[in-house]
Amino acid sequence: MVTQRQDAMSVDVVLPCLDEAEALPWVLDRMPPGYRAVVADNGSRDGSAEIARERGAVVVDVPQRGYGAAVQAGLLAADADIVCVCDADASLDPAQLPALVAALANGAHLALGRRRPTSARAWPPHARLGNAVVAQRLRRRGVPVHDIGPMRAARRAELLRLPITDRRFGYPLELLLRAAQAGWRIAEIDVDYHQRTGRSKVTGTPLGTARTVRDMTAALASLR
């Protein structure tokens, strides 16, 4: 169920969420003024949805599992002209989102947060290496990025026009490829990257990272 918007805010922030009860209070309390949280709950069993509602966030229930499914549902539930996406695990600070939104005002179609780890434990070596490998392959395809980061901003209507079909972990990669194909100007903005609260469902282990890189490599091969 999606709660109705109570006032006219300028930016919606989609937060894909799966069992992030420990992290959500910090994330939601860090929302800048005028930024509304849209929590796309992907089947949490730890009370994440209830915590989000208690803090005034819009909550959309997403029964289809997958990061891309959660993001897409959040975009459909949003109604602001500009929409941001940010992880709900406290690894990224929503207070830094205005820098990405400013890049849109300066001519970018898509602003990406380029992660800068705040500690050695924030970004495990295996995860950082996997990200670098995929980013390098994207640059060979003409997409000028150095990070497949989970913090980004764009105009909602333009995002929804991109023909993105992946509803799992290949979504961020397909987004970048589709944006480049559409001739979008992509800007990277440095953002702090903290050690997340809890264990990552994607890059928490070398095996998980290897699988993600494998899936993204397959997506690259299929998107020509």
Side-chain angles (χ1 to χ4, degrees):
M1 177 179 180
V2 179
T3 59
Q4 296 297 313
R5 193 186 191 106
Q6 298 299 315
D7 50 19
M9 295 184 181
S10 59
V11 179
D12 281 340
V13 182
V14 175
L15 299 166
C17 176
L18 176 58
D19 294 330
E20 302 291 3
E22 291 184 57
L24 268 177
W26 183 87
V27 173
L28 295 175
D29 289 348
R30 298 286 295 172
M31 285 290 156
Y35 286 57
R36 181 182 69 157
V38 179
V39 175
D41 189 70
N42 210 195
S44 297
R45 298 182 178 181
D46 65 350
S48 292
E50 290 73 18
I51 289 171
R53 290 190 181 96
E54 288 171 0
R55 280 177 156 72
V58 171
V59 176
V60 55
D61 297 318
V62 189
Q64 180 184 353
R65 284 297 182 94
Y67 175 84
V71 172
Q72 183 70 8
L75 289 176
L76 293 173
D79 59 18
D81 176 54
I82 294 175
V83 176
C84 300
V85 177
C86 182
D87 278 354
D89 59 9
S91 62
L92 294 160
D93 187 349
Q96 295 187 314
L97 286 171
L100 276 66
V101 172
L104 302 182
N106 289 329
H109 296 93
L110 176 65
L112 298 175
R114 184 177 180 179
R115 290 171 288 181
R116 300 299 192 183
T118 58
S119 70
R121 299 183 66 184
W123 202 350
H126 61 268
R128 195 168 186 173
L129 176 61
N131 179 79
V133 168
V134 175
Q136 182 182 52
R137 290 173 180 170
L138 276 175
R139 291 196 298 276
R140 290 175 181 169
R141 295 276 293 273
V143 186
V145 298
H146 298 82
D147 185 11
I148 318 301
M151 178 183 274
R152 50 191 175 270
R155 287 174 176 80
R156 177 177 178 271
E158 294 179 354
L159 271 177
L160 290 174
R161 280 196 290 268
L162 292 179
I164 303 171
T165 59
D166 195 294
R167 292 296 179 261
R168 296 187 64 80
F169 294 120
Y171 177 96
L173 179 69
E174 186 179 356
L175 165 63
L176 292 173
L177 287 167
R178 298 299 188 193
Q181 290 170 356
W184 284 22
R185 179 184 171 192
I186 301 173
E188 285 188 309
I189 310 298
D190 287 352
V191 296
D192 294 335
Y193 192 48
H194 307 275
Q195 183 178 0
R196 63 156 287 150
T197 299
R199 188 175 184 178
S200 173
K201 303 163 189 70
V202 182
T203 58
T205 66
L207 179 58
T209 298
R211 286 173 174 167
T212 302
V213 172
R214 179 199 63 195
D215 291 348
M216 288 190 170
T217 299
L220 274 172
S222 65
L223 294 169
R224 297 292 181 183

